[in-house]
Amino acid sequence: MDDRRLCENKEIFVKNLRAVNERAEVEPDIVDLVEAYARLRLDQDNELRFYDNKIRIDNKELEQFLDKNRHVDHRVLNFLASYFLEMKKRGLKCILNSSHLTHILGISRKKVNWLANGRADHYVCFHAKKRDGGKREILAPRPCLKKVQRQILDELLHRVRLNYRAEGFRKKRSVVTNAKRHIGKEVVIKMDVRDFFPSIIFERVLGMFVSLGYPRRTSLLLTRLVTHNGRLPIGAPTSPAISNIICRRMDKRFSKLGQKMEFEYSRYADDITISSNNKKITGMIPFFKEIMGEEGFVVNEAKMRILRSGRRQKITGIVVNKKPNIAREEIKKLRAVIYNCGHKDIKQEMIRWARNEKKLADPYGYTLSEFKLSLLGRIGFVKMVNPGIGKKLLQQFHAFSLNA
């Protein structure tokens, strides 16, 4: 039986299981938990065991959980313990219902519902320029919602195990670790996902929380807290982690295919890189696009690149032909900017930087502090990739007094 048919059969089983419990007038929160528990067990092809009286209690957190709920019927309590252990096994936090979620967040149900009501004034909207000259809409959550989203990120999302080929938005991962996977390859294929965050719609986020094992109504509330206008907002602290979780299956498919067809795969946010010493790997590009399409993503054709070993191979700002490095022109440019700041008119250098590097419509409004931070950020990037050159640039920067 293929995976798709097996998945369909599991969904039918879960749907029927839910319907049976609803007809029996089981409490809605318990029905949600029954469905969540069934999904967790079926996901691992394990037998469903409801109301098991032989649960081993060798977990301190589980003991505390049971002690707080001794008033509940023992059969239901044993089922809740089973659900708790399944979530624990996956490293995830157990949440029994929406009230339990509000308790974890430390705010009232009324306030959570207010934050989840989709009001436009929960976000501050502004636009940032893209490299191609276009504009990107940024939706920054206001402090109250941002705090709740941060809690969801720390308490729930950061616990989810990701595919090892996902390089963005993770501790101890960076553009450097991403680039190192593709050093010295004959062919490097760069593919960019079009409208990455906005293409992750409400239903996909809801499906993600449900698949992680959270009760349906709790998943619905969580989804309302982390989406806006039915999509994943660029600017919310939860969006990067959610995108990584949603991409787990795609990452797994590419990783397994890479092992079979001998190519390297990595994904840094919306930047997908595939490299190989087999020059014929380019013939698989239509298949790569098909996989992305099946996973709900579309390739940005305008940004797709095929880089061969005879020319510079640059991914996520790093040259990977022989070793991770920064392009010579970039280093030369930074040296010139630093020198000009110390020996020439720093105001003119600021204006040039604002116009050419920041692409500002009004470069004359650019401040010294903004310029210094931007320049230091660029030097920091060089230092991360090439510590020796980066350290020298930093010394040169501090050697000059950058006072206007």
Side-chain angles (χ1 to χ4, degrees):
M1 184 178 293
D2 62 48
D3 290 344
R4 191 170 296 178
R5 177 64 62 83
L6 189 61
C7 182
E8 288 174 357
N9 288 345
K10 288 178 180 178
E11 286 301 315
I12 292 170
F13 176 84
V14 170
K15 186 177 179 181
N16 290 338
L17 180 65
R18 185 178 184 92
V20 167
N21 280 274
E22 286 175 339
R23 282 198 298 269
E25 297 184 348
V26 175
E27 187 180 337
D29 281 346
I30 299 298
V31 175
D32 271 0
L33 285 167
V34 167
E35 178 188 352
Y37 172 72
R39 287 184 183 279
L40 290 171
R41 297 291 291 179
L42 291 172
D43 185 52
Q44 300 294 322
D45 295 323
N46 290 329
E47 178 186 354
L48 298 186
R49 293 182 179 179
F50 297 106
Y51 313 129
D52 191 347
N53 287 313
K54 297 180 179 179
I55 294 173
R56 290 181 60 190
I57 302 174
D58 54 3
N59 181 286
K60 189 174 182 180
E61 193 176 350
L62 177 57
E63 284 185 33
Q64 293 174 346
F65 170 78
L66 294 175
D67 285 340
K68 290 178 182 177
N69 294 278
R70 290 296 180 192
H71 60 284
V72 179
D73 180 275
H74 76 278
R75 295 172 302 168
V76 175
L77 194 60
N78 282 330
F79 160 65
L80 294 179
S82 297
Y83 171 69
F84 177 95
L85 291 173
E86 285 296 324
M87 294 295 280
K88 190 75 176 176
K89 194 187 299 180
R90 290 160 176 76
L92 301 176
K93 196 174 192 73
C94 179
I95 301 178
L96 301 177
N97 53 32
S98 298
S99 296
H100 189 195
L101 174 63
T102 60
H103 174 74
I104 289 170
L105 296 175
I107 55 177
S108 69
R109 180 61 188 269
K110 183 179 179 180
K111 191 166 187 178
V112 168
N113 287 337
W114 176 70
L115 291 172
N117 64 12
R119 288 165 56 115
D121 57 4
H122 287 319
Y123 290 85
V124 176
C125 179
F126 61 94
H127 292 85
K129 276 198 172 183
K130 295 182 179 180
R131 291 180 182 176
D132 60 7
K135 290 185 178 181
R136 177 180 286 111
E137 183 184 63
I138 309 295
L139 290 163
R142 293 190 183 276
C144 192
L145 178 58
K146 186 176 182 179
K147 181 182 177 182
V148 169
Q149 289 177 341
R150 283 279 182 192
Q151 287 177 283
I152 293 171
L153 179 67
D154 295 336
E155 294 284 348
L156 308 183
L157 301 176
H158 274 165
R159 295 170 180 248
V160 180
R161 299 174 186 129
L162 301 175
N163 187 280
Y164 69 107
R165 296 289 180 170
E167 295 286 352
F169 317 123
R170 302 179 68 179
K171 290 182 179 179
K172 299 182 180 179
R173 301 292 185 94
S174 67
V175 290
V176 178
T177 59
N178 180 64
K180 284 181 177 178
R181 295 188 182 277
H182 307 284
I183 300 295
K185 299 295 184 181
E186 284 292 328
V187 182
V188 175
I189 301 168
K190 292 169 53 177
M191 294 187 292
D192 180 87
V193 179
R194 190 171 70 196
D195 299 325
F196 185 49
F197 282 180
S199 68
I200 299 175
I201 60 175
F202 185 97
E203 289 76 13
R204 295 183 74 181
V205 179
L206 174 60
M208 178 204 76
F209 281 117
V210 169
S211 69
L212 289 175
Y214 293 108
R216 184 164 291 277
R217 286 185 296 175
T218 304
S219 296
L220 184 60
L221 180 56
L222 284 165
T223 304
R224 288 165 57 201
L225 287 167
V226 300
T227 59
H228 182 65
N229 288 338
R231 300 182 182 279
L232 209 57
I234 302 173
T238 43
S239 293
I242 289 172
S243 70
N244 269 343
I245 296 169
I246 283 177
C247 284
R248 286 192 306 173
R249 190 172 67 178
M250 182 175 73
D251 293 337
K252 184 178 180 180
R253 290 180 69 180
F254 272 114
S255 299
K256 283 191 172 183
L257 184 62
Q259 291 171 1
K260 185 177 180 181
M261 304 303 294
E262 296 184 342
F263 65 76
E264 288 290 332
Y265 164 83
S266 69
R267 182 183 56 80
Y268 190 93
D270 59 349
D271 291 320
I272 290 175
T273 307
I274 292 171
S275 64
S276 176
N277 287 321
N278 181 356
K279 295 180 181 180
K280 294 182 179 180
I281 191 68
T282 54
M284 294 190 68
I285 290 176
F287 185 44
F288 297 154
K289 292 180 181 178
E290 187 178 325
I291 291 174
M292 292 173 66
E294 290 173 353
E295 297 299 330
F297 298 110
V298 177
V299 175
N300 186 339
E301 298 287 352
K303 291 187 175 182
M304 197 179 85
R305 299 286 184 272
I306 298 173
L307 311 173
R308 302 189 184 276
S309 58
R311 296 189 176 186
R312 179 184 291 163
Q313 296 169 320
K314 187 177 179 182
I315 58 173
T316 53
I318 300 175
V319 178
V320 295
N321 291 72
K322 294 181 179 180
K323 64 178 182 178
N325 212 344
I326 300 295
R328 290 179 182 177
E329 311 90 80
E330 176 69 10
I331 296 168
K332 188 177 179 180
K333 178 177 65 182
L334 289 174
R335 282 175 177 155
V337 170
I338 295 169
Y339 179 85
N340 290 341
C341 286
H343 294 85
K344 298 182 180 180
D345 188 344
I346 191 172
K347 289 185 177 180
Q348 289 302 314
E349 202 62 36
M350 282 168 50
I351 293 169
R352 276 195 293 270
W353 185 272
R355 182 186 293 117
N356 300 331
E357 302 299 321
K358 305 302 289 184
K359 309 294 182 185
L360 296 181
D362 178 23
Y364 297 95
Y366 200 52
T367 66
L368 177 63
S369 59
E370 289 174 326
F371 174 51
K372 289 173 67 175
L373 282 174
S374 180
L375 187 54
L376 275 172
R378 198 73 67 85
I379 294 170
F381 179 72
V382 173
K383 189 170 183 286
M384 180 174 65
V385 180
N386 190 322
I389 292 177
K391 186 177 180 181
K392 288 179 182 178
L393 288 172
L394 199 59
Q395 289 171 345
Q396 291 168 11
F397 176 88
H398 290 303
F400 297 117
S401 177
L402 299 184
N403 295 313

